[in-house]
């Protein structure tokens, strides 16, 4: 396949995984206050996403794909709030192990990677179009 | 699909230019375009003429346009991601662009011939 057309497809796979990553980040951010609903219950567990390289035989190139959507085994944030429905016998409530700052940094990284992929597509397309335009000019 | 008018022009040109190439292949190309029996090609003994190549290009472009349209419709229904739509539409656009560019060049060549004084 034409390498320029292939690079369009490869960038497109990059865009897809970065949008998956954005989905995970927004899930984590949305659930930053999601506690359990019974006393001492575990809250929402932060999700993580990993990527892997995937060979596309038809294309003869390495695409990127989501390897795994796992969960962060880190410690929960504990706050003292005896009036909360999820408070245990000591009055402690377990909050999700989501750190907003980390999620925001992750979001920015995903957004930058997405932009890089978009630029890649724009440039490849421009190169193809300008090559075809050679036929037009006289 | 509005863009198909351009494609039919390409196919007509390809049928036409086969006359320039070798007269016998015109009928064969027409058969090829309307999906006639393939053994006609074998009996002619000529393979991969210009007209056949053009017919292939047209068919591929039409296929790309159909895929792009189907993907867009699927995206409206929320089944396909925006990236897939962009990928399919871009592929169709590039195929159409190159087909049209080649057609223009072929028409130009024909006009060059028709202006030739005998």
């Amino acid at each position: 396949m034409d390498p320029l057309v292939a690079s369009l497809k490869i960038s497109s796979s990059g865009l897809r995984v970065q949008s998956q990553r954005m989905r995970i980040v927004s899930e984590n951010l949305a659930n930053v206050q999601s506690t359990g609903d019974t006393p001492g219950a575990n809250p929402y567990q932060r999700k993580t996403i990993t990527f892997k390289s995937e060979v596309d035989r038809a294309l003869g190139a390495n695409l990127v794909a989501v390897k795994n959507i796992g969960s962060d085994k880190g410690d929960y944030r504990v706050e003292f709030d005896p009036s909360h429905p999820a408070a245990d016998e000591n009055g402690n409530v377990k909050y999700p192990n989501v750190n907003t700052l980390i999620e925001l940094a992750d979001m920015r990284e995903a957004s930058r990677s997405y932009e890089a992929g978009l630029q890649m597509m724009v440039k490849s397309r421009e190169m193809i179009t300008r090559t075809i335009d050679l036929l037009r000019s006289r | 699909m509005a863009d198909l008018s351009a494609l039919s022009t390409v196919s007509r040109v390809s049928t036409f230019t086969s006359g320039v190439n070798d007269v016998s292949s015109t009928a064969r190309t027409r058969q090829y375009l309307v999906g006639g029996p393939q053994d006609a090609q074998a009996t002619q003994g000529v393979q991969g003429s210009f007209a056949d190549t053009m017919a292939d290009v047209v068919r591929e472009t039409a296929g790309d346009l159909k895929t792009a349209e189907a993907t867009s419709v699927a995206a409206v229904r929320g089944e396909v991601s925006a990236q897939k739509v962009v990928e399919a539409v871009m592929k169709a656009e590039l195929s159409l662009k190159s087909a049209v560019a080649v057609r223009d060049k072929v028409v130009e060549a024909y006009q060059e011939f028709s202006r030739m004084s005998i």
Side-chain angles (χ1 to χ4, degrees):
Chain A
M1 190 182 244
D2 176 20
L4 285 174
V5 176
S7 73
L8 283 180
K9 278 191 115 89
I10 298 165
S11 316
S12 170
S13 79
L15 297 191
R16 268 201 299 283
V17 298
Q18 293 304 331
S19 45
Q20 281 278 346
R21 185 183 186 179
M22 282 300 274
R23 203 203 76 176
I24 299 299
V25 170
S26 64
E27 237 173 284
N28 286 340
L29 276 177
N31 282 296
V32 73
Q33 300 283 350
S34 301
T35 57
D37 44 9
T38 52
N42 281 341
Y44 171 83
Q45 202 169 25
R46 174 176 180 256
K47 283 187 181 172
T48 57
I49 184 167
T50 48
F51 307 128
K52 67 173 177 212
S53 177
E54 199 178 60
V55 179
D56 186 323
R57 299 225 174 272
L59 209 61
N62 281 309
L63 303 184
V64 61
V66 173
K67 185 182 187 183
N68 179 37
I69 294 177
S71 46
D72 188 341
K73 302 285 191 293
D75 292 336
Y76 298 120
R77 193 156 44 88
V78 177
E79 273 177 34
F80 182 72
D81 184 4
S83 63
H84 197 283
D88 60 11
E89 63 272 15
N90 299 322
N92 287 327
V93 181
K94 283 191 258 184
Y95 277 93
N97 51 351
V98 175
N99 184 334
T100 314
L101 280 178
I102 292 178
E103 298 306 324
L104 287 180
D106 225 26
M107 178 195 79
R108 184 152 285 205
E109 205 179 320
S111 147
R112 293 282 180 245
S113 303
Y114 199 94
E115 265 171 44
L118 281 180
Q119 277 302 318
M120 198 58 226
M121 287 181 101
V122 168
K123 275 294 159 198
S124 311
R125 192 169 97 124
E126 191 192 314
M127 283 165 79
I128 300 172
T129 315
R130 291 193 56 173
T131 310
I132 295 173
D133 281 349
L134 277 182
L135 280 178
R136 248 186 267 269
S137 60
R138 32 187 95 186
Chain B
M1 208 186 290
D3 290 328
L4 274 178
S5 59
L7 292 179
S8 63
T9 323
V10 176
S11 68
R12 249 178 279 134
V13 168
S14 76
T15 315
F16 174 76
T17 49
S18 66
V20 180
N21 221 2
D22 60 321
V23 182
S24 63
S25 69
T26 312
R28 181 156 51 91
T29 310
R30 190 164 292 134
Q31 222 164 15
Y32 199 72
L33 282 171
V34 298
Q38 293 289 312
D39 57 341
Q41 197 172 3
T43 53
Q44 291 287 331
V46 186
Q47 284 203 339
S49 77
F50 178 72
D52 288 346
T53 315
M54 285 305 286
D56 274 349
V57 168
V58 171
R59 191 169 308 145
E60 205 171 297
T61 310
D64 281 348
L65 284 168
K66 273 198 190 112
T67 313
E69 197 165 308
T71 315
S72 309
V73 171
V76 170
R77 286 201 299 263
E79 292 162 359
V80 176
S81 67
Q83 291 88 24
K84 282 270 182 203
V85 178
V86 171
E87 202 183 306
V89 173
M90 252 162 127
K91 191 164 188 290
E93 187 199 342
L94 290 171
S95 307
L96 185 65
K97 254 188 188 161
S98 41
V100 168
V102 170
R103 178 209 58 186
D104 289 350
K105 214 63 182 171
V106 167
V107 169
E108 200 184 308
Y110 168 68
Q111 283 172 343
E112 200 78 23
F113 271 119
S114 67
R115 278 197 294 271
M116 199 185 286
S117 53
I118 307 170

